[in-house]
Amino acid sequence: MSFFGYGGRSSSSRASQQDTHLSELERLRGRQLASVVRAGGRAKNQQQTTFEVAIADTARGPLTLQLQLPTEFPVKVPRLKASIPLQHRWLDAAGNVQGHPDLNNWTAHSDLGRIVSEIVTELRAIANSASVNKPPVSPASSSPAASLSPYPGSRPSYPSPGRRSPQAQIQPQETKKTPDTSKMQRTQMPAIPSTFPELQDLSQSQLEKLNSDRRALKKFVKELTLVKEFTQLRDDVLHSNMDIAKTTLKHESELRELRALVEQQRAELRAAQEALAEKQAQQQSIAARHRPDALLEQLSAAAKDLDNETDEIATQFAHGDIDVAQFIATYLPQRNLYHERSLKLARVHQH
């Protein structure tokens, strides 16, 4: 710029437009991150470029939806992937989300939180199906009740007292003494004998009566030692299961209160994560305005503005619009400031 020349302010205008564009992108990014948090997403790094949404626990491990946000997000489409490959029209063989229509038509104004919620709903439905949740069956994990049968083809008619329901397993220990079921766990079902000694002592007429009279036969069978042992075992198992059920039901109200407390804390956590995401987005927006390159652009634009202003003052003085006193009072301070800023820019560029 010459001493008496004229100059435009196009560089300053371009810098202002660039700052406005960056601020708009940061605002869109913050809104997208907040929607992901509302959908259950949790940031895996401080830069908030990787998120994870828990879906379900399966026999193959925890099923989650993983989000990878590119550097140009939200201008560029995010990458979504299921931690366990499943068969779905939106997933490819590796578990990458490829077929969702909103991802295929992605824009910076798309609702990523809604997209994540739709994908999570679909994958959770698959995870709850038998094909994913059904654990592998091994001989070692078979029911103890099956071992009570001493002959092939038999089926137990009652559950084993050694197997407790999941609710009973998670209950804290009661101070009240519970029934001792260790002995029943070791009790085997009586084997079916090949002969019945009780029948050998009966006469021909008594045998014929048992064969023709169902009531007499039923009474005779009930008096057999083998049947009595089995009946006693059945009653013990039923009473044990009843005691376990009563103990479990005692904790029903406590379990409901704890479940409500957990849901409340989850809601508070989601709200806190959403607030954190918005504040981190604001922090990144503020930090972007104070980056070294941004500060240099602002300093360069300010120096050019001073150069233009001093040129205008010099032009006014040359045309006689202002006198010498006004020229010295206005021109010299601004020109000194211009040279000071120019020297700072020169020093930075030298390093």
Side-chain angles (χ1 to χ4, degrees):
M1 177 65 65
S2 63
F3 186 79
F4 293 103
Y6 295 90
R9 304 184 183 181
S10 59
S11 177
S12 176
S13 177
R14 286 195 301 269
S16 177
Q17 292 177 357
Q18 185 177 6
D19 291 341
T20 303
H21 180 66
L22 290 175
S23 300
E24 177 65 16
L25 289 180
E26 291 296 337
R27 186 184 66 82
L28 291 175
R29 177 184 174 86
R31 188 174 65 179
Q32 295 284 9
L33 295 182
S35 68
V36 172
V37 172
R38 285 194 298 269
R42 292 187 178 183
K44 305 297 290 183
N45 56 2
Q46 187 176 4
Q47 294 77 18
Q48 292 186 309
T49 57
T50 304
F51 283 81
E52 187 177 70
V53 183
I55 299 177
D57 292 330
T58 69
R60 297 161 59 184
L63 175 61
T64 60
L65 181 64
Q66 301 169 354
L67 287 77
Q68 187 69 33
L69 307 182
T71 306
E72 297 81 2
F73 178 81
V75 177
K76 287 192 175 181
V77 59
R79 295 188 296 273
L80 283 71
K81 181 180 180 181
S83 61
I84 300 177
L86 302 174
Q87 291 184 355
H88 193 274
R89 64 184 184 278
W90 291 345
L91 303 182
D92 60 10
N96 297 303
V97 180
Q98 300 287 350
H100 195 284
D102 290 340
L103 287 179
N104 296 336
N105 301 317
W106 175 264
T107 66
H109 298 277
S110 299
D111 190 349
L112 182 57
R114 179 182 58 80
I115 297 173
V116 170
S117 298
E118 293 177 355
I119 297 174
V120 168
T121 301
E122 291 286 333
L123 298 185
R124 183 173 289 125
I126 299 178
N128 292 332
S129 63
S131 60
V132 176
N133 273 336
K134 186 176 181 180
V137 179
S138 61
S141 62
S142 60
S143 172
S147 63
L148 297 177
S149 177
Y151 58 94
S154 63
R155 297 179 62 185
S157 59
Y158 58 91
S160 170
R163 296 193 64 179
R164 303 180 63 180
S165 63
Q167 291 84 356
Q169 292 178 2
I170 63 174
Q171 299 297 336
Q173 294 183 352
E174 286 284 327
T175 56
K176 181 180 177 180
K177 186 177 180 181
T178 57
D180 185 11
T181 59
S182 59
K183 184 176 181 180
M184 287 186 291
Q185 292 177 7
R186 295 192 299 268
T187 302
Q188 299 292 328
M189 179 182 291
I192 298 178
S194 57
T195 60
F196 294 89
E198 294 84 353
L199 296 177
Q200 296 177 0
D201 298 333
L202 299 180
S203 62
Q204 184 67 24
S205 60
Q206 290 175 330
L207 292 175
E208 291 178 355
K209 183 178 180 181
L210 291 178
N211 189 34
S212 59
D213 190 348
R214 295 183 61 85
R215 290 186 178 180
L217 178 61
K218 187 175 182 180
K219 182 179 180 181
F220 175 80
V221 171
K222 284 185 177 181
E223 296 298 328
L224 293 177
T225 303
L226 183 65
V227 175
K228 289 182 179 180
E229 291 179 356
F230 178 79
T231 303
Q232 182 63 35
L233 177 62
R234 181 201 62 186
D235 294 340
D236 291 342
V237 171
L238 291 177
H239 292 157
S240 176
N241 288 344
M242 186 178 297
D243 292 337
I244 293 173
K246 290 180 179 179
T247 303
T248 303
L249 290 176
K250 289 180 181 179
H251 299 280
E252 183 178 7
S253 59
E254 180 183 359
L255 182 61
R256 289 181 178 178
E257 293 177 359
L258 292 176
R259 185 176 299 171
L261 179 61
V262 170
E263 292 298 330
Q264 179 183 356
Q265 292 178 347
R266 285 180 177 175
E268 294 175 355
L269 176 61
R270 286 193 294 268
Q273 289 177 335
E274 182 178 350
L276 176 62
E278 293 179 355
K279 291 181 179 179
Q280 288 181 338
Q282 294 176 1
Q283 180 185 17
Q284 293 178 359
S285 176
I286 295 174
R289 295 196 299 267
H290 294 83
R291 296 194 312 269
D293 54 346
L295 293 176
L296 286 177
E297 291 180 359
Q298 295 176 11
L299 183 60
S300 177
K304 290 183 179 180
D305 290 342
L306 285 174
D307 190 19
N308 295 333
E309 291 177 2
T310 53
D311 283 348
E312 291 179 1
I313 295 174
T315 301
Q316 293 176 0
F317 177 70
H319 292 167
D321 296 336
I322 58 176
D323 55 16
V324 176
Q326 291 177 339
F327 174 76
I328 295 175
T330 57
Y331 179 83
L332 292 181
Q334 294 192 26
R335 198 63 185 176
N336 289 335
L337 183 58
Y338 163 75
H339 287 296
E340 180 181 351
R341 292 177 178 177
S342 298
L343 287 175
K344 290 180 179 179
L345 286 173
R347 290 178 181 177
V348 172
H349 290 307
Q350 287 177 358
H351 292 80

